Amino acid sequence: MAAPRPTTARKVLGRLSLPERNFVAEALRTETVGGVLLLIAAVTALIWANVPALHDSYESVSHFHLGPAALGLHLSIAHWAADGLLAVFFFVAGIELKRELVAGDLRDPKAAALPVVAALCGMAVPALVYTLTNVTGGGSLQGWAVPTATDIAFALAVLAVIGTSLPSALRAFLLTLAVVDDLFAILIIAIFFTARIDFVALAGAVIGLAVFWLLLRKGVRGWYVYVPLALVIWALMYNSGVHATIAGVAMGLMLRCTTREDEKHSLGEHVEHLVRPLSAGLAVPLFALFSAGVAISGGALGDVFTKPETLGVVLGLVVGKAVGIFGGTWLTARFTRASLSDDLAWPDVFAVASLAGIGFTVSLLIGELAFDSDPVLTDEVKAAVLVGSLIAALGATVLLKLRNARYRRMYEDEERDEDLDGIPDIYEQDDPAYHLRMAELHDRKAAEHRRIAAEKAAEQRRGRVEVAGGAGEDNDGPA
């Protein structure tokens, strides 16, 4: 009887493939810059809304209406930011999700299980925490979805500010979590926050999406075709009563994200490369500018921890997110017989799970939708989102700083490129040509060191001769 073949334990959060690493690095660079702009926009909004001399101007600008009333689009600036600009953000999220499903880690069901389960647990547990808090305290259950979202740009901005060299596997895990999170957030908005449906407008939006898909299938190119069509689809979706950001994610999912023989990058990757800076650098910061401007006082901050709705949001973000994501990751590893990467420890996963408690952008949007009939409670829930995100950021900062020296060494190992061929050395360990290049490089270095050693030895010999000769001349005279 043949001996059973040994099985290799699958590693979770291990080193990324080189193409995936390059894609993640490109995406994270843009998101980090956007996250810093998001922080600036949020701080600006808080100052603008809370300085007495400026408060009235903030309200005036936020509630200033513009747009064609005949088309049902005479909206306030704040409304345009939430329904219009965020459609760009969700368009990029749709492309990211499509790419992950067909070309990234999510195409492999075994690899996809970890971020999907972690994201689902990271949404279910905060919702449960909020619900239990409000059932116990007699609060409203309408805001159960507020603490379920993760803001990847804000989280990466925190990483940039604290200077943590988080390994690429953990950054990719955080990015994938956020992509899956965004998808389910869109589903929550579509299912639970659609009060009325205009079926004529919805049918028009569906027809527009079908035309969009058909043009893509036919290979039609040109922004002047797709941008006007996208605007029409968005307007019809908005007038249908379904949240307009659904149009963005639907169009993003339609883009092709696999490469053809004559392509270096797929159409979806190309479009994402063009649109992501617009999303991260303009759309999301402007949304934050007109959504984060809530009046904050000592009393208001105190109310955050006394009202069940706001306390549920804070606990959901700070406790629910960390417990949910960490628990989902651990359970996935446990029941799939996978083991954590040798370079990481479970406290690293908990730190990243805590960082995912930063639920800024989409949490603010859901808060507006959940309590749109109660402006006072809407502002209080927004304040709770800010407080919860801040506490999650501070907690994650402390946890990540404890391991920062280890992260820095791992990051340096991942980035080292001694042969200067543009590919990190860690990805070339199985390539004989790499080792030949390194041997040649070390031979040149050794030859250079031998030359320097010979020159230094010759200088030392000349020095001894000169010293000896000089000593003889000094002793020629009489004593």
Side-chain angles (χ1 to χ4, degrees):
M1 181 177 177
R5 294 172 61 184
T7 57
T8 302
R10 189 171 63 85
K11 298 290 185 181
V12 297
L13 300 181
R15 189 169 69 239
L16 304 176
S17 65
L18 183 59
E20 187 71 7
R21 172 196 173 276
N22 292 338
F23 172 81
V24 168
E26 171 75 19
L28 293 179
R29 273 194 295 270
T30 306
E31 291 288 0
T32 301
V33 174
V36 173
L37 294 175
L38 179 61
L39 283 172
I40 294 171
V43 171
T44 301
L46 289 171
I47 294 172
W48 193 0
N50 286 277
V51 173
L54 301 175
H55 175 76
D56 289 344
S57 65
Y58 181 81
E59 291 295 320
S60 298
V61 173
S62 296
H63 294 100
F64 181 78
H65 282 63
L66 71 161
L71 298 178
L73 297 175
H74 189 63
L75 311 177
S76 68
I77 296 292
H79 209 159
W80 276 111
D83 287 83
L85 292 178
L86 275 195
V88 179
F89 166 77
F90 280 109
F91 174 69
V92 173
I95 300 174
E96 287 177 342
L97 180 64
K98 177 70 173 290
R99 186 204 158 275
E100 287 290 335
L101 289 171
V102 302
D105 286 347
L106 297 185
R107 73 184 186 278
D108 178 4
K110 290 182 179 179
L114 177 65
V116 171
V117 172
L120 286 173
C121 292
M123 300 183 80
V125 176
L128 180 62
V129 168
Y130 178 93
T131 301
L132 291 175
T133 303
N134 281 270
V135 167
T136 304
S140 170
L141 298 181
Q142 288 178 269
W144 64 270
V146 175
T148 60
T150 293
D151 193 311
I152 184 62
F154 215 145
L156 293 173
V158 171
L159 286 177
V161 170
I162 65 177
T164 299
S165 302
L166 202 65
S168 60
L170 286 177
R171 289 178 182 264
F173 178 58
L174 184 61
L175 180 63
T176 308
L177 269 177
V179 171
V180 178
D181 193 292
D182 288 340
L183 170 67
F184 286 107
I186 274 291
L187 292 177
I188 287 172
I189 291 170
I191 295 170
F192 296 99
F193 296 103
T194 299
R196 61 168 186 85
I197 296 180
D198 182 331
F199 288 100
V200 174
L202 183 60
V206 171
I207 292 171
L209 288 170
V211 172
F212 190 90
W213 177 82
L214 185 62
L215 291 173
L216 289 172
R217 291 279 294 177
K218 294 295 183 181
V220 176
R221 296 293 181 95
W223 65 267
Y224 45 84
V225 174
Y226 291 101
V227 171
L229 178 59
L231 291 174
V232 170
I233 294 170
W234 175 88
L236 288 168
M237 189 69 75
Y238 175 81
N239 281 287
S240 74
V242 178
H243 201 270
T245 53
I246 305 294
V249 77
M251 287 184 280
L253 287 169
M254 289 182 181
L255 290 179
R256 176 176 54 81
C257 290
T258 53
T259 55
R260 293 173 176 169
E261 291 183 3
D262 57 339
E263 292 179 331
K264 185 176 180 181
H265 299 288
S266 68
L267 174 63
E269 289 174 315
H270 177 67
V271 173
E272 182 185 12
H273 179 74
L274 294 175
V275 180
R276 184 188 287 275
L278 176 64
S279 169
L282 181 65
V284 175
L286 281 177
F287 167 75
L289 182 64
F290 293 107
S291 291
V294 295
I296 294 179
S297 62
L301 292 176
D303 288 344
V304 166
F305 298 98
T306 57
K307 288 191 174 183
E309 294 88 353
T310 51
L311 180 61
V313 170
V314 173
L315 292 178
L317 289 172
V318 177
V319 178
K321 272 291 182 182
V323 172
I325 292 173
F326 178 82
T329 305
W330 186 86
L331 289 172
T332 303
R334 173 70 178 82
F335 288 104
T336 59
R337 297 181 180 178
S339 60
L340 192 64
S341 171
D342 296 333
D343 295 326
L344 300 172
W346 284 110
D348 300 321
V349 179
F350 188 80
V352 172
S354 300
L355 191 65
I358 299 174
F360 192 75
T361 305
V362 181
S363 289
L364 291 176
L365 174 62
I366 295 177
E368 290 181 354
L369 296 173
F371 300 105
D372 61 342
S373 60
D374 189 342
V376 174
L377 189 53
T378 298
D379 282 349
E380 290 173 342
V381 166
K382 285 184 178 182
V385 170
L386 296 176
V387 171
S389 297
L390 179 60
I391 294 173
L394 293 175
T397 297
V398 172
L399 294 173
L400 292 169
K401 279 294 186 182
L402 294 175
R403 294 268 290 171
N404 200 35
R406 172 66 175 162
Y407 295 152
R408 191 178 297 112
R409 289 194 296 272
M410 292 175 63
Y411 182 79
E412 289 170 354
D413 288 341
E414 290 179 357
E415 296 298 315
R416 187 175 295 113
D417 182 17
E418 289 191 67
D419 59 344
L420 302 177
D421 66 343
I423 300 174
D425 297 337
I426 200 168
Y427 289 97
E428 299 185 286
Q429 298 302 311
D430 296 328
D431 184 2
Y434 162 75
H435 292 285
L436 290 175
R437 289 196 301 272
M438 291 303 297
E440 183 181 349
L441 179 64
H442 287 301
D443 285 343
R444 288 200 301 270
K445 288 183 177 179
E448 180 67 12
H449 283 296
R450 283 193 288 269
R451 182 188 65 78
I452 294 173
E455 290 179 355
K456 297 300 182 184
E459 289 176 4
Q460 290 176 0
R461 287 196 297 272
R462 286 196 298 273
R464 285 197 294 271
V465 170
E466 291 172 0
V467 168
E473 291 173 2
D474 291 339
N475 295 330
D476 281 348

